[in-house]
């Protein structure tokens, strides 16, 4: 809780009520830090796997604190912006951080409602949608929801980026890779792997994106583990930004 206490002390500084450029950036940094704290809590839960007892009670207290703190600080920032007449686009990043925090803390419904608020007030960008896509892919591990969010992003005129591709691929191919898997589980994973490549090829070519190196590495590793090296090789041919022959024409 020391990090939380430090952040709480910072926002009590009288100058934080200022509308100067420097303090805008400090408020934005605080929202970013709170989002990272939320990700840390999610990772801790993933690593410990403990949903009972004193540890879970402590985690609930931290979740409640983070949500209340982040919401109140964001509202104070919004009030300052409204009072001073500063461009509201300065709020987009801290609002995106709020989306990430909701998702990290297992509150996807609040995140979805908040996204609609962001869209109506200042407009969403790729980072806004990627926050929810991260929540669906990494926190909820829900492939269908991940794909649907990417579709909603496109329908609303927001272009996916490299992070979108990376999260989409993670949603399909992350998980246990054991030789002792049940045959039906292994076959399902192979189908998901094929779908991941299909989405990667389609989005990369449509939006002229080059996948991140880590995304390619993830696909290569999964392809080797599942004996699907041919599909990986074909991907290099099908994705324009990876096809050296296409790039020379």
């Amino acid at each position: 809780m020391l990090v939380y206490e430090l952040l709480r002390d910072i926002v009590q500084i009288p100058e934080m009520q200022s509308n100067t450029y420097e303090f805008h950036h400090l408020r934005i940094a605080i929202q970013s830090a709170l989002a990272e704290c939320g990700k840390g809590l999610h990772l801790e839960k993933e690593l410990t796997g403990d949903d009972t007892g004193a540890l879970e009670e402590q985690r609930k207290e931290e979740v409640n604190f983070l949500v209340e703190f982040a919401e109140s600080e964001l509202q104070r920032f919004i009030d300052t912006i409204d009072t001073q007449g500063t461009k509201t686009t300065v709020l987009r990043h801290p609002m995106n951080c709020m989306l990430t925090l909701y998702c990290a803390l297992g509150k996807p419904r609040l995140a979805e409602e908040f996204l609609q608020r962001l869209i109506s007030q200042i407009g969403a960008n790729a980072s806004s949608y990627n926050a929810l896509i991260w929540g669906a892919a990494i926190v909820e591990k829900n492939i269908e929801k991940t794909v649907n969010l990417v579709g909603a992003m496109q329908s609303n005129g927001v272009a996916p980026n490299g992070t979108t591709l990376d999260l989409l691929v993670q949603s399909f191919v992350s998980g246990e890779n054991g030789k002792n898997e049940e045959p039906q589980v292994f076959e399902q994973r192979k189908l998901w792997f094929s779908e991941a490549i299909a989405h990667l090829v389609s989005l990369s070519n449509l939006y002229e994106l080059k996948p991140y190196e880590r995304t390619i590495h993830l696909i290569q590793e999964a392809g080797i583990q599942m004996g699907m090296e041919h599909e990986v090789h074909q991907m290099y041919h099908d994705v324009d930004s990876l096809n050296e022959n296409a790039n020379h024409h």
Side-chain angles (χ1 to χ4, degrees):
M1 297 289 282
L2 288 176
V3 174
Y4 308 155
E5 292 171 6
L6 175 61
L7 292 173
R8 187 162 47 188
D9 289 342
I10 291 173
V11 300
Q12 298 304 319
I13 298 172
E15 289 81 2
M16 281 293 289
Q17 307 311 312
S18 167
N19 195 42
T20 62
Y21 178 86
E22 291 80 5
F23 284 101
H24 280 177
H25 280 262
L26 182 54
R27 285 195 178 280
I28 290 170
I30 288 170
Q31 291 297 136
S32 296
L34 291 169
E36 291 303 314
C37 287
K39 285 186 173 183
L41 274 182
H42 165 69
L43 180 60
E44 179 186 56
K45 185 175 182 179
E46 288 279 288
L47 292 174
T48 61
D50 185 3
D51 290 330
T52 60
L55 183 61
E56 180 60 18
E57 285 302 313
Q58 178 184 337
R59 187 177 289 119
K60 286 180 181 179
E61 289 181 13
E62 292 185 60
V63 166
N64 291 335
F65 173 83
L66 279 173
V67 170
E68 292 174 9
F69 186 17
E71 287 178 341
S72 64
E73 280 309 302
L74 180 59
Q75 188 57 55
R76 288 172 66 182
F77 193 14
I78 291 172
D79 292 342
T80 302
I81 296 299
D82 289 344
T83 301
Q84 301 296 333
T86 306
K87 288 184 179 179
T88 56
T89 50
V90 74
L91 293 169
R92 186 177 286 114
H93 179 72
M95 292 181 83
N96 287 346
C97 290
M98 196 72 229
L99 289 171
T100 300
L101 183 62
Y102 282 141
C103 290
L105 300 180
K107 298 182 180 294
R109 183 173 297 179
L110 286 178
E112 291 159 14
E113 293 172 354
F114 194 79
L115 176 64
Q116 295 308 312
R117 174 184 168 186
L118 192 159
I119 290 172
S120 65
Q121 292 182 350
I122 57 178
N125 61 8
S127 295
S128 311
Y129 282 96
N130 285 342
L132 267 72
I133 292 168
W134 176 82
I138 307 304
V139 180
E140 298 180 69
K141 297 178 173 55
N142 187 326
I143 293 175
E144 182 179 0
K145 183 175 181 180
T146 302
V147 173
N148 288 340
L149 283 167
V150 175
M153 180 183 195
Q154 295 174 272
S155 297
N156 288 322
V158 178
N161 58 19
T163 300
T164 315
L165 290 181
D166 190 61
L167 291 169
L168 188 58
V169 168
Q170 285 189 60
S171 179
F172 277 105
V173 307
S174 62
E176 298 298 326
N177 298 313
K179 295 182 179 179
N180 297 323
E181 284 180 324
E182 293 292 332
Q184 62 268 30
V185 174
F186 183 68
E187 290 303 315
Q188 180 62 65
R189 286 187 56 239
K190 289 176 70 174
L191 288 174
W192 284 339
F193 182 75
S194 296
E195 280 196 55
I197 290 182
H199 282 290
L200 180 75
V201 171
S202 175
L203 292 173
S204 295
N205 291 342
L206 180 61
Y207 294 98
E208 299 181 349
L209 299 172
K210 184 171 184 178
Y212 295 152
E213 287 295 327
R214 68 186 183 200
T215 310
I216 298 301
H217 180 72
L218 182 60
I219 287 179
Q220 289 173 333
E221 287 293 307
I224 291 171
Q225 289 162 349
M226 288 183 279
M228 298 179 71
E229 293 92 337
H230 174 74
E231 284 79 357
V232 176
H233 177 75
Q234 186 64 37
M235 175 193 71
Y236 277 94
H237 176 78
D238 293 341
V239 175
D240 291 342
S241 61
L242 300 176
N243 186 345
E244 292 183 2
N245 292 327
N247 291 336
H248 282 93
H249 290 321

